[in-house]
Amino acid sequence: MADNVQHPPKPALTPRTGVSLRARVVLLALISLAAAVIYVSNSWLTERYTETTRNRAELRVALYSGNLISELQRNSVVPLLLSRDPALINALNSDDFSQSSARLISYREEIEAKSLILLDGDGRTVAATVRETLGELHRSDPYFVDALRSSETVFSTAQSESGAYEFTYSRKIEAGNKVIGVIVVEVDLRKFEESWSGISDAVLVTNSQNDVILATEPRWRGKQEDDALVTVPAMTAIRRSFRNTTEWTALPSEMLFLGEAVMRHEARVPFQGWRIASFTSYASVREKVNAFLSLEIMAFAMLLSLTFYLISRRAQFRSVLFAQESADLRQLNDQLQREIAERQRAEKNLQVAEQTLAQSSKLAALGEMSAAVSHELNQPLAAMKTYLAGAKLLLQRKRPDEALSSFQRIDDLIERMGAITRQLKSYARKGGDAFEPMDIRKSVSMALSMMEPQLKRREVRITRNIPRNPVMVMGDRLRLEQVLINLLRNAIDATKTVDAPQVDIIVSRGDYALITVRDNGEGVTDLDNLFEPFYTTKAPGDGVGLGLAISSGIVTDFGGRLTARNGQDGGAVFEVELPILDEEDSDIEAAE
């Protein structure tokens, strides 16, 4: 016991000494790693973002050049078309320009030119999209003089009093080999200066004499490029253009950014020797490298701070750890007790909910079953009422033998109703227990016999196409007759508004047995919801919308399917597909 009490301090000193040594090594390694990572990141990111900035500048210059060419080419064909405009030629010949300005305004809105001017043979403005210029003389302007000298469309550049350049296409208008006027189209290239000003570049366009004709810096226009850059340096132009350049003075720019302040990129504009140049600042490179290096420094600073904190707090943490764990365990135990109580209450509520749900399911199943039985008994009851009325009339006419035949049919219907009610027992056993081989033809004949009272009340033409040989399937004869009666009844009801009602029943065989019931009514408007329970298009009291839903379920139980579609000549077509039992070929006979 004494040895055990005296020896613990020695192991405690050894771990603290070891932790301190490891901490020094870790701190030295972190500082070395931070310096190396920042140095490598600075070099690699500078090269990467510089190359990216250069590629983007080249792409923008190519895009600017393409926009200029597109605008120039789009306006170059306008003078040729307007010089052949009969309305403008007639106006020049008749000196009637009352409608000419309006016509030019409509053309300008269509072609999006800056302005259109019509000059007569003396250089006087007789029609223009800017009405304030009417009557002005342009006899000495280059676009008028050059147009008279050339038989083609000419392009002219002239500097206005404000220092901006005007770009025009002009072409003379002739009538009977006589020059009667000149059409002038002013091209709006100034809009590109405005669009270029929103980007962190300074852009200029020079003509073949190296004069600046377009520029984001207004004081560059009209000067040689070298003189323009002396007047306003590129960096100043960039700042005026974008006004969002930030400088990072923490490190020398030549060390971070390859010693360049502005990058110039030039491209040729394939038009009269024009060239376009852009000046791009490395501010975006500085911002990106600055942001990334700042994140790295911050991350290393946080890591070092965390290391110091862990070293200083490690001893205290160990002493507090056990007390904290005890408190956490007590708190966890209390929480578990509350959760157990909540779960017990939830289980009790769940049992009550399950009992309520079971009762609701029973009531719903009972209601659905009652509605189905009521729907299926309605047809035999209607037929029995008709047969009873016929038997009564036959007895009154002293024809008892025929009345006995009606009573026999009533007896068959009573037997059928009993069979329908017995089907309720099938809900407690598998669907295929009562299936047996059956001939579809007999079911079709029995269904037509059941529908005989309704057919006698209306003149409906019934056609049957059935094979001579049996068409055997596995199923329940009574339930298949139930499906066919529902389909026939719907077909007869669908032909109420037709002058010559007709219902076709076709039985065919192949890979499967197919029963087709087709009418010439108005067809089905909603095929998607047709087989949904309680969906019906009949008037209230004529049906509850369960017939097709029940029929679809019966056919599905037989391993087949019930489908509906609209025929090409109108009317609805219902098809019952059932698996066939034999592979014999059958001859089809048609009977009406």
Side-chain angles (χ1 to χ4, degrees):
M1 290 293 294
D3 292 338
N4 292 336
V5 174
Q6 292 175 357
H7 286 289
K10 291 184 179 179
L13 288 174
T14 302
R16 283 199 294 269
T17 304
V19 169
S20 178
L21 180 59
R22 287 198 301 270
R24 294 189 183 96
V25 174
V26 169
L27 290 176
L28 182 60
L30 283 176
I31 295 173
S32 302
L33 178 63
V37 169
I38 292 175
Y39 178 83
V40 174
S41 298
N42 176 46
S43 302
W44 181 73
L45 289 175
T46 299
E47 293 179 0
R48 178 183 176 185
Y49 288 136
T50 300
E51 183 65 21
T52 301
T53 302
R54 183 179 293 106
N55 293 337
R56 289 178 178 177
E58 293 176 357
L59 181 62
R60 282 196 294 269
V61 168
L63 179 62
Y64 297 161
S65 175
N67 291 339
L68 284 174
I69 291 300
S70 176
E71 185 71 16
L72 291 169
Q73 290 178 348
R74 183 170 60 85
N75 288 275
S76 63
V77 299
V78 177
L80 175 61
L81 298 176
L82 294 182
S83 66
R84 300 175 181 178
D85 189 348
L88 299 180
I89 294 175
N90 292 335
L92 290 171
N93 288 329
S94 63
D95 291 333
D96 181 11
F97 306 100
S98 58
Q99 302 296 325
S100 299
S101 294
R103 190 172 185 85
L104 292 180
I105 291 174
S106 66
Y107 286 148
R108 184 188 65 82
E109 294 175 351
E110 182 176 355
I111 65 178
E112 299 180 356
K114 183 176 181 181
S115 65
L116 299 177
I117 303 174
L118 180 63
L119 306 177
D120 59 11
D122 297 328
R124 183 173 57 90
T125 303
V126 294
T129 56
V130 181
R131 297 181 184 273
E132 291 78 6
T133 62
L134 292 175
E136 294 181 354
L137 288 175
H138 301 275
R139 183 180 303 171
S140 59
D141 290 339
Y143 51 77
F144 180 78
V145 176
D146 294 340
L148 294 179
R149 295 175 179 175
S150 175
S151 59
E152 303 292 336
T153 300
V154 297
F155 179 80
S156 302
T157 302
Q159 191 173 14
S160 63
E161 295 178 358
S162 63
Y165 277 82
E166 296 178 352
F167 308 93
T168 57
Y169 280 106
S170 59
R171 188 183 183 94
K172 63 184 178 183
I173 302 176
E174 298 178 318
N177 296 325
K178 178 182 178 183
V179 177
I180 60 176
V182 173
I183 185 70
V184 181
V185 179
E186 185 176 359
V187 183
D188 186 12
L189 298 183
R190 294 284 304 280
K191 62 183 180 181
F192 294 112
E193 292 179 336
E194 299 175 359
S195 64
W196 298 340
S197 298
I199 304 174
S200 58
D201 286 348
V203 183
L204 60 84
V205 178
T206 59
N207 56 15
S208 58
Q209 287 78 34
N210 202 29
D211 294 328
V212 179
I213 56 177
L214 288 173
T216 55
E217 171 56 48
R219 289 192 288 176
W220 283 355
R221 301 191 191 105
K223 298 182 175 64
Q224 295 285 311
E225 181 179 351
D226 295 336
D227 297 335
L229 294 177
V230 171
T231 303
V232 179
M235 180 59 72
T236 303
I238 293 173
R239 289 171 180 170
R240 290 182 179 180
S241 175
F242 195 60
R243 299 185 183 278
N244 195 27
T245 302
T246 58
E247 296 288 343
W248 186 31
T249 59
L251 293 174
S253 60
E254 60 272 10
M255 183 184 74
L256 287 177
F257 306 109
L258 306 181
E260 295 180 345
V262 176
M263 177 177 61
R264 181 182 184 277
H265 183 75
E266 182 181 271
R268 186 178 65 86
V269 180
F271 182 79
Q272 295 191 355
W274 288 11
R275 303 190 71 82
I276 183 171
S278 70
F279 301 88
T280 304
S281 171
Y282 283 93
S284 60
V285 177
R286 296 170 183 171
E287 292 172 357
K288 293 175 182 178
V289 175
N290 178 20
F292 196 90
L293 294 182
S294 298
L295 290 175
E296 287 184 348
I297 294 173
M298 184 182 299
F300 282 115
M302 293 177 63
L303 186 58
L304 288 173
S305 300
L306 180 61
T307 302
F308 282 118
Y309 177 79
L310 291 176
I311 293 173
S312 64
R313 297 294 295 176
R314 185 169 184 177
Q316 297 180 4
F317 177 78
R318 287 183 175 180
S319 63
V320 178
L321 180 60
F322 295 105
Q324 183 65 37
E325 288 180 351
S326 299
D328 291 342
L329 288 175
R330 286 194 298 269
Q331 183 180 0
L332 181 59
N333 185 43
D334 295 339
Q335 183 178 355
L336 289 176
Q337 293 295 334
R338 290 193 298 270
E339 289 184 358
I340 290 173
E342 291 177 359
R343 289 180 181 273
Q344 289 175 349
R345 288 194 297 271
E347 288 178 357
K348 292 180 180 179
N349 294 334
L350 180 60
Q351 291 176 357
V352 175
E354 288 177 349
Q355 293 175 357
T356 303
L357 181 60
Q359 185 66 20
S360 300
S361 300
K362 291 178 182 178
L363 292 175
L366 181 59
E368 184 176 348
M369 190 182 305
S370 300
V373 173
S374 174
H375 178 271
E376 296 304 327
L377 292 180
N378 185 51
Q379 185 68 28
L381 287 174
M384 288 172 60
K385 184 176 179 180
T386 303
Y387 285 133
L388 284 173
K392 181 178 179 182
L393 183 61
L394 290 173
L395 290 176
Q396 291 176 355
R397 294 181 180 179
K398 308 299 182 181
R399 297 162 62 184
D401 294 338
E402 297 181 14
L404 288 175
S405 176
S406 296
F407 289 136
Q408 180 60 41
R409 293 188 176 183
I410 292 173
D411 183 64
D412 293 340
L413 290 174
I414 292 173
E415 177 64 24
R416 178 176 181 82
M417 292 172 65
I420 291 174
T421 57
R422 286 194 299 272
Q423 285 183 354
L424 293 176
K425 299 178 181 179
S426 65
Y427 296 147
R429 65 176 186 269
K430 296 182 180 178
D433 291 347
F435 290 175
E436 61 182 2
M438 53 175 289
D439 189 357
I440 289 179
R441 301 179 306 164
K442 294 181 181 180
S443 297
V444 173
S445 300
M446 187 60 187
L448 288 172
S449 176
M450 289 288 296
M451 293 299 298
E452 184 177 354
Q454 287 190 2
L455 297 175
K456 288 183 178 180
R457 289 198 301 269
R458 292 187 55 209
E459 294 183 359
V460 181
R461 182 183 179 189
I462 305 295
T463 64
R464 293 183 300 171
N465 288 338
I466 60 176
R468 294 178 180 176
N469 297 329
V471 181
M472 303 300 295
V473 298
M474 181 65 72
D476 187 339
R477 179 184 60 81
L478 187 62
R479 298 176 71 188
L480 181 58
E481 293 172 7
Q482 177 182 346
V483 173
L484 295 177
I485 289 173
N486 282 329
L487 297 180
L488 289 171
R489 183 183 180 186
N490 289 340
I492 294 172
D493 291 341
T495 58
K496 287 182 179 180
T497 59
V498 180
D499 295 335
Q502 180 176 341
V503 177
D504 301 329
I505 304 175
I506 304 172
V507 178
S508 60
R509 56 177 295 167
D511 295 336
Y512 51 82
L514 179 64
I515 305 173
T516 304
V517 178
R518 181 173 57 201
D519 61 69
N520 62 343
E522 297 181 354
V524 180
T525 57
D526 190 357
L527 292 172
D528 294 334
N529 298 320
L530 187 61
F531 296 102
E532 295 294 331
F534 303 105
Y535 172 81
T536 180
T537 58
K538 298 180 181 178
D542 292 344
V544 295
L546 287 172
L548 290 177
I550 294 173
S551 299
S552 179
I554 292 174
V555 175
T556 301
D557 290 341
F558 290 170
R561 64 173 182 170
L562 174 60
T563 59
R565 57 183 173 84
N566 290 318
Q568 296 180 353
D569 299 330
V573 179
F574 289 85
E575 294 179 341
V576 179
E577 297 181 6
L578 296 173
I580 200 166
L581 290 182
D582 57 358
E583 300 295 336
E584 298 179 1
D585 296 332
S586 300
D587 297 326
I588 305 301
E589 62 176 357
E592 295 186 3

